[in-house]
Amino acid sequence: MTRIAPLSAVAAMLVLAACNNNKPEVIDTNPDPMANQIANAAPIEMPPAVTDSAIYRCKDNSIVYVDFLGDKTQANVRTKKGGTPVHVQAEGEGKPLTGGNGFSVEGTGQTVQIAVNGGAAQTCNR
């Protein structure tokens, strides 16, 4: 008798659990007004990641911060530690990186040539 009661309770729960196979009704009281625009939007291409950050001291004793990007044709150059970066870009891998305001970077190693604010390119070392 003591064994029958737990078994019958389990059987009753299984029968009741099998009765309601309907999915719950979802009522959206706050639909997204941009849902169609988002669904039809063009895919977004992520910018390349920073692969190397270097601090260079140049021949005139200035310091330049360069963040080289993963595609090897782009970099961000700053003249101050927390300054606004200037984006420089090359036409192909291995070519000089040039950008707005007369900035350019040539090379990626220990010694590079950097021009800042339209000045002449100078040798800079890590």
Side-chain angles (χ1 to χ4, degrees):
M1 181 75 170
T2 57
R3 292 184 183 176
I4 296 175
L7 290 177
S8 61
V10 169
M13 289 175 34
L14 287 174
V15 169
L16 290 174
C19 289
N20 189 6
N21 287 334
N22 297 334
K23 292 183 179 179
E25 181 180 357
V26 177
I27 299 173
D28 190 3
T29 59
N30 190 15
D32 185 0
M34 295 184 65
N36 288 336
Q37 291 175 352
I38 292 171
N40 297 325
I44 297 172
E45 184 178 333
M46 295 296 291
V50 174
T51 56
D52 187 20
S53 290
I55 301 171
Y56 292 99
R57 181 168 300 274
C58 297
K59 192 174 184 179
D60 69 353
N61 210 27
S62 62
I63 295 178
V64 179
Y65 302 86
V66 181
D67 295 326
F68 294 99
L69 303 181
D71 65 355
K72 298 183 181 178
T73 62
Q74 300 180 60
N76 292 319
V77 181
R78 293 176 282 127
T79 56
K80 295 180 183 174
K81 186 173 185 177
T84 303
V86 174
H87 186 75
V88 292
Q89 189 167 359
E91 293 179 10
E93 189 175 337
K95 295 191 177 184
L97 305 164
T98 58
N101 299 332
F103 281 74
S104 70
V105 177
E106 188 171 351
T108 59
Q110 291 290 95
T111 301
V112 297
Q113 298 291 320
I114 298 177
V116 177
N117 295 326
Q122 57 183 327
T123 302
C124 303
N125 298 306
R126 276 191 184 197

